[in-house]
Amino acid sequence: MSDAPLAVVVLKKRRALPFFSHHPWVFAGAIEREEGAPQPGDEVRVVSHEGRFIGRGLYNPDSQIRVRLYGWDEHRPLDRDFWAERIDQALAWREQLFQHRPERHACRLIFSEGDHLSGLTVDRYGEWLLVQWTSRALAMRQELFLELLTERLRPRGVWLRTERGIGESEGLSAADGLLRGEPPPRPLFLVENGLRIGVDVLEGHKTGYYFDQRDNRRAVAAYAGGRKVLDAFCYTGGFSLAAAKLGQAAHVTGVDSSPSAIETARANAELNEIGERCTFVRADVVPYLEAAVGRGEQFGLVILDPPKMARTRPGIERAAKGYLRLNRLALQVLEPGGILVTCSCSGLVDREMFLDILARAALEKGRGLQILEVRGQASDHPVSIHCRESAYLKCVIARAV
């Protein structure tokens, strides 16, 4: 490690408070100047306008998040020991959380800001690890992180998944592919809430499966008993399987536009011996809902779990309109006394905004709603109190009255 002094990033007046409070994202607009000509991926010191030390971070001139902060000790470098300690803390929590449950082999091991490793996500699928970078500076340390993860977990293989738009937002050039060991099988099987589920970690959404909804799927199953269920944006059948098998729904219809997801959902239903109570339809959700409204079809439980609708702040208004439209349609096919489960994984649409959208949809359709539960992501996706944006998932369970 070089003993050369670190470059310094100096903040504008009255812009330091969030970072003294340990928020990890220093946006370009908060910076007054840079001293020492930092290069992409360099470790830097961040100081207030008055020169007071705030934290150590990694620099990226190609991102609006110009510096991601990781350390708050002025004298501790962001070296191998530092990163090893952060990884150990994250892994220890998952061991404590799951202990001897099957889910310990199918979970999120590292959750970016939630584990104070902004820009790194690691999921475990049995003997394989799926890695995703959302920080160019951390990705430049990929070999170090792979070495640390391999030492601790001894995976059979490590596969890289890339997030859409990361090249534009981070200047990060990366492509999905094998980083170490053997490629994972297709499908790869996991166990969740007693259900056996096949997933495609090479080409499925995110890293192949939505671990963040694990606890919500179990919670929703409790409302499914004897009901006719519609699972919109069903993907590979997570909510559908839980409703049919755990909740003993009368029948479940899952709808998704992806032919591969629908094929996998059908296979998963057969795998869990509930194929006769599950129907999976390849269709775009909005036209499907509109057609269901037109023919007067009603469901006792409607689940909306759409993909992320707002990736940037300019996209928030369009996302709000999308959520409003979906929830209006869902309310039109929901029978009196029925249960609506509506979700948003758009972190830029906060909980209050999402509840306001739901209230507006109910008013416009003349429906009353009783909120039964407002839930978030599973506990292997912890929320940093210093970065509330890491509380991205909203899952509202409400009863129509």
Side-chain angles (χ1 to χ4, degrees):
M1 186 185 69
S2 173
D3 292 328
L6 299 179
V8 177
V9 173
V10 183
L11 301 181
K12 294 177 180 177
K13 288 183 178 179
R14 295 183 292 276
R15 300 299 291 273
L17 183 59
F19 313 113
F20 279 125
S21 300
H22 292 195
H23 196 288
W25 302 338
V26 181
F27 284 93
I31 295 173
E32 180 177 277
R33 66 183 185 277
E34 297 156 0
E35 300 174 352
Q39 299 302 302
D42 279 358
E43 181 178 346
V44 297
R45 296 174 69 250
V46 176
V47 302
S48 69
H49 184 267
E50 298 77 21
R52 183 180 169 192
F53 174 80
I54 296 174
R56 286 177 177 250
L58 300 181
Y59 179 79
N60 184 359
D62 298 318
S63 174
Q64 280 301 304
I65 304 177
R66 193 60 48 87
V67 180
R68 292 178 189 255
L69 292 169
Y70 298 97
W72 314 98
D73 183 340
E74 185 171 8
H75 304 292
R76 184 172 187 190
L78 307 183
D79 56 12
R80 178 189 173 90
D81 289 343
F82 178 90
W83 301 119
E85 182 178 297
R86 287 287 167 88
I87 289 173
D88 287 342
Q89 290 170 349
L91 299 183
W93 166 236
R94 277 66 182 185
E95 285 296 320
Q96 181 182 345
L97 177 64
F98 295 113
Q99 295 186 5
H100 302 298
R101 291 165 52 195
E103 283 82 358
R104 72 185 293 269
H105 298 290
C107 67
R108 179 146 294 180
L109 294 175
I110 296 176
F111 177 49
S112 196
E113 288 78 20
D115 286 301
H116 312 294
L117 284 165
S118 178
L120 171 62
T121 295
V122 180
D123 286 342
R124 173 193 269 163
Y125 290 86
E127 297 180 272
W128 280 267
L129 300 180
L130 275 289
V131 172
Q132 190 172 73
W133 301 105
T134 51
S135 159
R136 176 185 177 187
L138 277 195
M140 292 172 69
R141 291 160 171 78
Q142 176 170 279
E143 286 307 309
L144 169 60
F145 280 95
L146 291 180
E147 184 179 313
L148 293 170
L149 289 167
T150 300
E151 286 176 359
R152 285 149 178 78
L153 299 167
R154 303 295 177 188
R156 190 167 170 182
V158 182
W159 188 271
L160 176 67
R161 292 296 304 265
T162 54
E163 185 173 294
R164 190 176 72 184
I166 197 63
E168 294 81 2
S169 63
E170 282 287 307
L172 172 59
S173 178
D176 292 5
L178 186 65
L179 298 177
R180 289 199 174 188
E182 305 172 23
R186 302 173 69 182
L188 192 157
F189 293 94
L190 58 88
V191 176
E192 176 188 278
N193 296 323
L195 297 164
R196 192 157 184 250
I197 300 169
V199 299
D200 184 351
V201 299
L202 272 62
E203 294 187 2
H205 297 174
K206 289 194 173 181
T207 65
Y209 191 65
Y210 294 97
F211 291 131
D212 53 2
Q213 292 277 29
R214 179 193 306 107
D215 298 341
N216 296 333
R217 286 188 277 264
R218 185 173 60 245
V220 168
Y223 298 92
R227 294 182 186 270
K228 179 183 174 184
V229 177
L230 174 64
D231 181 10
F233 306 98
C234 68
Y235 188 41
T236 54
F239 276 108
S240 298
L241 301 178
K245 183 83 170 186
L246 306 180
Q248 293 298 303
H251 189 271
V252 179
T253 301
V255 180
D256 200 280
S257 62
S258 166
S260 61
I262 288 296
E263 182 181 342
T264 302
R266 288 176 181 144
N268 283 333
E270 293 297 331
L271 185 64
N272 289 278
E273 301 179 339
I274 49 174
E276 73 283 355
R277 288 190 288 119
C278 294
T279 301
F280 292 99
V281 179
R282 180 192 170 191
D284 290 329
V285 166
V286 168
Y288 182 91
L289 286 170
E290 289 172 340
V293 171
R295 60 179 176 263
E297 189 170 6
Q298 295 276 282
F299 297 88
L301 171 61
V302 176
I303 302 163
L304 296 176
D305 187 21
K308 184 185 290 187
M309 290 191 176
R311 295 183 179 275
T312 62
R313 292 198 175 277
I316 293 176
E317 183 177 352
R318 185 174 65 178
K321 291 178 180 177
Y323 287 125
L324 179 63
R325 184 183 188 186
L326 281 172
N327 282 282
R328 283 190 305 215
L329 287 168
L331 288 170
Q332 287 177 268
V333 299
L334 186 65
E335 66 187 27
I339 302 295
L340 173 65
V341 178
T342 180
C343 307
S344 165
C345 63
S346 301
L348 292 170
V349 176
D350 65 26
R351 180 176 291 196
E352 288 307 310
M353 181 186 300
F354 190 58
L355 289 174
D356 286 345
I357 292 169
L358 185 55
R360 181 178 168 188
L363 283 172
E364 290 183 5
K365 291 304 167 186
R367 303 296 299 270
L369 283 178
Q370 296 173 319
I371 294 179
L372 307 179
E373 301 184 46
V374 180
R375 305 177 60 87
Q377 61 242 38
S379 299
D380 53 345
H381 295 63
V383 175
S384 169
I385 194 66
H386 307 297
C387 183
R388 310 292 175 82
E389 295 90 339
S390 56
Y392 67 96
L393 182 62
K394 287 77 60 181
C395 177
V396 180
I397 304 175
R399 175 175 175 266
V401 293

